[in-house]
């Protein structure tokens, strides 16, 4: 590493090529190579997803969407976000006696107006499994799904109707802070 280079030209409109590196500027036209990440594949970006599910899966984490149930294209979710008629509910689950390394959550997104809904369940095997983690898993699935809807359907996330939905994010913090008696599962 520690090689020195001299800049001979500059083109700010050019597409970057090569590998990631960090440099130290020694003067206006002289740099010293500090770290080099090796060669990189400079293929064009992945093609743009043409359907919502492809868009969602392009983010990775396919395991979160294995039990995703949608009766129709979720464009209605975007409309419901715009109108402020969306309701999101999740319930996490953990049972140490059955399997201490597994937590899960069921979740649903529904429009109060049309009654259309998206349903999902997600299961995670982890040494950190627990009831709180199961609750968070459901909230994460809902949030990622809504974020994908906002991006794919170009929903303006600064609109008032979405602020009203997002304002409910403070609710779980309040609920988790309240001491309530734990309801035992059915025997």
């Amino acid at each position: 590493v520690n090689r020195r280079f001299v800049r001979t030209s500059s083109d700010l409109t050019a597409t970057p090529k090569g590998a990631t590196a960090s440099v130290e500027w020694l003067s206006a036209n002289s740099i010293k190579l500090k770290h080099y990440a090796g060669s990189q594949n400079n293929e064009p970006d992945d093609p743009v997803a043409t359907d919502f599910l492809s868009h969602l899966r392009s983010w990775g984490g396919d395991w979160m969407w294995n039990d995703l149930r949608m009766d129709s294209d979720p464009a209605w979710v975007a409309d419901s976000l715009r109108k402020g008629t969306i309701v999101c509910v999740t319930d996490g689950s953990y049972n140490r006696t059955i399997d201490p390394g597994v937590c899960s959550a069921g979740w649903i997104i529904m429009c109060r107006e049309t009654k259309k809904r998206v349903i999902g369940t997600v299961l995670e095997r982890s040494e950190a499994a627990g009831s709180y983690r199961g609750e968070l898993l459901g909230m994460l699935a809902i949030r990622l799904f809504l974020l994908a809807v906002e991006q794919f359907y170009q929903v303006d996330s600064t609109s008032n109707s979405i602020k009203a939905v997002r304002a409910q994010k403070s609710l779980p913090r309040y609920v988790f802070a309240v001491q309530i008696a734990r309801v035992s599962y059915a025997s």
Side-chain angles (χ1 to χ4, degrees):
V1 183
N2 287 328
R3 293 172 28 200
R4 294 172 193 258
F5 297 86
V6 175
R7 178 171 62 175
T8 57
S9 67
S10 178
D11 182 1
L12 298 176
T13 62
T15 302
K17 294 180 182 176
T20 304
S22 60
V23 297
E24 175 185 341
W25 285 95
L26 302 174
S27 68
N29 291 321
S30 178
I31 58 172
K32 179 180 174 182
L33 180 64
K34 301 292 278 183
H35 303 282
Y36 177 70
S39 65
Q40 292 181 343
N41 185 0
N42 289 315
E43 295 295 318
D45 292 340
D46 293 334
V48 175
T50 56
D51 65 286
F52 175 76
L53 199 52
S54 296
H55 173 69
L56 181 64
R57 291 188 183 276
S58 74
W59 291 7
D62 278 352
W63 63 274
M64 290 190 76
W65 317 115
N66 285 341
D67 190 35
L68 180 63
R69 289 170 270 162
M70 298 186 295
D71 292 336
S72 62
D73 182 71
W76 64 266
V77 177
D79 293 336
S80 186
L81 279 168
R82 288 182 189 104
K83 293 178 188 174
T85 58
I86 197 162
V87 176
C88 303
V89 178
T90 182
D91 187 23
S93 180
Y94 175 69
N95 190 328
R96 182 178 305 137
T97 57
I98 293 176
D99 192 337
V102 172
C103 59
S104 62
W107 57 272
I108 184 168
I109 297 172
M110 187 175 116
C111 176
R112 289 189 316 258
E113 221 173 57
T114 66
K115 306 299 184 211
K116 290 183 179 181
R117 60 187 177 188
V118 175
I119 300 171
T121 59
V122 61
L123 179 132
E124 179 190 43
R125 180 166 293 282
S126 167
E127 290 181 15
S131 57
Y132 184 67
R133 188 176 181 100
E135 299 288 345
L136 291 175
L137 196 56
M139 288 187 276
L140 176 64
I142 287 173
R143 185 62 197 119
L144 288 174
F145 189 90
L146 292 177
L147 186 60
V149 166
E150 289 175 14
Q151 191 177 72
F152 187 77
Y153 295 103
Q154 300 175 353
V155 177
D156 178 10
S157 61
T158 60
S159 71
N160 290 335
S161 60
I162 294 177
K163 284 181 185 174
V165 171
R166 288 194 175 154
Q168 295 176 11
K169 286 195 311 190
S170 62
L171 180 62
R173 278 180 273 180
Y174 172 75
V175 172
F176 290 143
V178 173
Q179 287 288 354
I180 56 174
R182 186 156 179 95
V183 177
S184 62
Y185 63 93
S187 51

